[in-house]
Amino acid sequence: MTAEMKVHVLRTGTLEGDLSWFLLRKGDTFIDRYHKDDPRIWSHYPTHAVLIEHPEGRILWDTGLPRNWEEQWAPAGFNDYFPVTEDVNATTGWLDSGLASLELAPEDIDVLVLSHLHYDHVGNARMFDNGKTRIIANNNEIAGVKTIEGTVDGAHLVSEFLGLPLEGTPGDVDLVEGVHLINTPGHTWGTMSLQLDLPNDGTKIFTSDAIYLKDSYGPPIVGSPIVWDNRMWLESVHKLRGIADRTGAELIFGHDKDQIELIKTGPDEFYS
């Protein structure tokens, strides 16, 4: 029998940006000369963390956007291309306030799992460098970032994770009963997804950036320019589709602004 769990999806800020970063879709990204003056599509891309209250401890999946994003991202210029919306709810819209609304502090988290080490997923990771919380990332992600020269590579901002006590995992592991880490590389060296088998609400798969949006998932599957290895990424999408088909899982995508409004979020709602 699957372990009893209470799962909170916490909003952690919303990015703005050009849709072309997320979807390489004909007509939006690739235009012909007759449409060269058409306006770009500027949209919103929410981020989230997942708090799992499990009999074996509290687990947090990802950390979202930092409050001081302008300052923290300035060395990489992310703040110019992906500014954070000004309508973030001060009470529930940031990770620290979301945890506080549940009467939790960073040191109350036993395990932090980072789906990958991009700036919008590890923005608050240093809050958990407290000597108590284990911080886990994929082995290949940890090895990959060690090859970065300088302060930034793609969407990896080294200052956000340099020196953190990262523990490696191969992915495709059972973290605890009912909580599974899925190896879904391609977006980065070691992107992971999260599968939760819940007694009451069934299986949920949090794809992180293995699948950005519902439109990414398709069919047809639509790629993105922010992908380290396109073939591995495509294989990972097919892998997640296979798991969803076998388990009847609901996939919760990494940055889908329409889907986030339909799922349970915030301290007062939860899955179990």
Side-chain angles (χ1 to χ4, degrees):
M1 182 176 178
T2 304
E4 292 289 335
M5 288 182 271
K6 182 181 288 187
V7 176
H8 293 275
V9 181
L10 302 176
R11 296 196 182 215
T12 54
T14 297
L15 299 167
E16 296 181 359
D18 190 324
L19 180 64
S20 298
W21 288 107
F22 295 84
L23 284 178
L24 291 172
R25 186 165 57 184
K26 180 182 178 182
D28 293 338
T29 308
F30 305 114
I31 59 175
D32 58 30
R33 60 178 178 167
Y34 305 108
H35 297 86
K36 62 184 180 181
D37 296 323
D38 286 1
R40 309 296 297 178
I41 299 176
W42 187 265
S43 191
H44 290 179
Y45 308 95
T47 69
H48 60 263
V50 183
L51 174 67
I52 306 159
E53 298 194 67
H54 192 278
E56 296 190 36
R58 292 190 183 95
I59 302 166
L60 185 69
W61 170 259
D62 277 348
T63 71
L65 312 179
R67 286 181 182 267
N68 66 332
W69 59 275
E70 282 268 23
E71 176 185 356
Q72 188 162 311
W73 298 346
F78 299 146
N79 49 326
D80 291 329
Y81 288 91
F82 301 103
V84 176
T85 59
E86 297 179 357
D87 60 353
V88 176
N89 187 298
T91 303
T92 60
W94 300 102
L95 180 60
D96 57 354
S97 55
L99 290 175
S101 66
L102 293 166
E103 299 183 345
L104 296 174
E107 55 268 24
D108 295 317
I109 303 302
D110 297 293
V111 180
L112 168 63
V113 183
L114 298 171
S115 65
H116 60 299
L117 301 179
H118 274 176
Y119 72 100
D120 52 327
H121 294 261
V122 301
N124 296 295
R126 293 200 178 279
M127 291 167 49
F128 302 91
D129 186 9
N130 51 39
K132 178 182 181 298
T133 304
R134 293 173 57 204
I135 306 177
I136 295 175
N138 184 274
N139 284 331
N140 291 333
E141 190 77 359
I142 295 172
V145 297
K146 289 180 180 178
T147 68
I148 296 175
E149 299 180 1
T151 61
V152 63
D153 187 305
H156 288 99
L157 180 58
V158 173
S159 60
E160 293 193 317
F161 51 79
L162 183 66
L164 287 179
L166 297 173
E167 297 182 25
T169 180
D172 279 356
V173 296
D174 298 334
L175 190 60
V176 292
E177 184 183 359
V179 179
H180 316 285
L181 304 182
I182 308 172
N183 191 35
T184 50
H187 175 67
T188 67
W189 305 281
T191 300
M192 297 187 291
S193 300
L194 172 70
Q195 177 180 336
L196 303 179
D197 296 324
L198 301 171
N200 299 312
D201 288 309
T203 299
K204 309 290 181 186
I205 297 177
F206 293 86
T207 69
S208 183
D209 288 357
I211 307 174
Y212 283 125
L213 313 167
K214 184 178 184 297
D215 284 347
S216 309
Y217 188 52
I221 298 170
V222 181
S224 159
I226 312 178
V227 171
W228 165 70
D229 186 305
N230 281 285
R231 180 172 179 177
M232 292 178 71
W233 170 80
L234 186 62
E235 291 172 349
S236 292
V237 177
H238 284 301
K239 179 179 181 177
L240 290 174
R241 193 185 300 278
I243 296 172
D245 288 345
R246 291 194 302 272
T247 64
E250 176 186 13
L251 271 64
I252 298 174
F253 307 115
H255 295 285
D256 196 295
K257 66 181 177 64
D258 296 322
Q259 185 184 48
I260 198 74
E261 301 300 332
L262 301 175
I263 65 175
K264 297 177 182 179
T265 62
D268 298 326
E269 296 188 286
F270 59 88
Y271 295 101
S272 65

